[in-house]
Amino acid sequence: MATPLIAGLAVAAAALAGRYSIQAWNAYKARPVVPRLRKFYEGGFQPTMTRREAGLILGVRENAHPEKVKEAHKKVMVANHPDAGGSHYLASKINEAKDILLGKTKGGGSAF
């Protein structure tokens, strides 16, 4: 008499466990994707570029060594060069960021 009852409880427990597993898997698949690589600067540009914004654009600190700034500029420019399908505007902002961090300009608006 107890055997069918135990078998029914076991089937019900297995069904609930399966249902919970499917819900957990769907929640895992639906979670937002978090990039594991370093992200570059997102967002609009300020009217006049600051050292902080220039550092964010190139992905370096505001007081980074000039060689590091040049290396970061080259890396970002390769990805955004107008000859390779990039934007002229972004290329000008990347160059402006390099100039500001290297001290070639004091900052001050963009041409666009």
Side-chain angles (χ1 to χ4, degrees), residues 72-101:
H73 172 263
K74 182 178 180 180
K75 185 177 184 181
V76 175
M77 190 54 112
V78 165
N80 294 290
H81 199 277
D83 291 344
S87 165
H88 289 282
Y89 180 70
L90 286 178
S92 69
K93 294 305 260 184
I94 293 167
N95 286 330
E96 183 181 358
K98 180 190 80 163
D99 290 343
I100 288 174
L101 289 179

Side-chain angles (χ1 to χ4, degrees), residues 10-83:
V11 168
L16 287 174
R19 180 178 176 199
Y20 176 75
S21 297
I22 291 171
Q23 287 175 344
W25 177 253
N26 287 335
Y28 175 75
K29 287 192 313 187
R31 77 190 190 292
V33 177
V34 177
R36 301 206 184 273
L37 298 175
R38 189 175 82 188
K39 290 176 56 178
F40 290 102
Y41 180 63
E42 291 181 5
F45 297 107
Q46 297 175 359
T48 57
M49 188 176 292
T50 62
R51 288 186 61 83
R52 179 183 178 279
E53 184 181 21
L56 288 171
I57 290 169
L58 295 179
V60 296
R61 294 179 184 256
E62 297 172 29
N63 56 356
H65 192 270
E67 290 300 318
K68 194 165 189 172
V69 171
K70 290 176 185 176
E71 181 181 320
H73 172 263
K74 182 178 180 180
K75 185 177 184 181
V76 175
M77 190 54 112
V78 165
N80 294 290
H81 199 277
D83 291 344

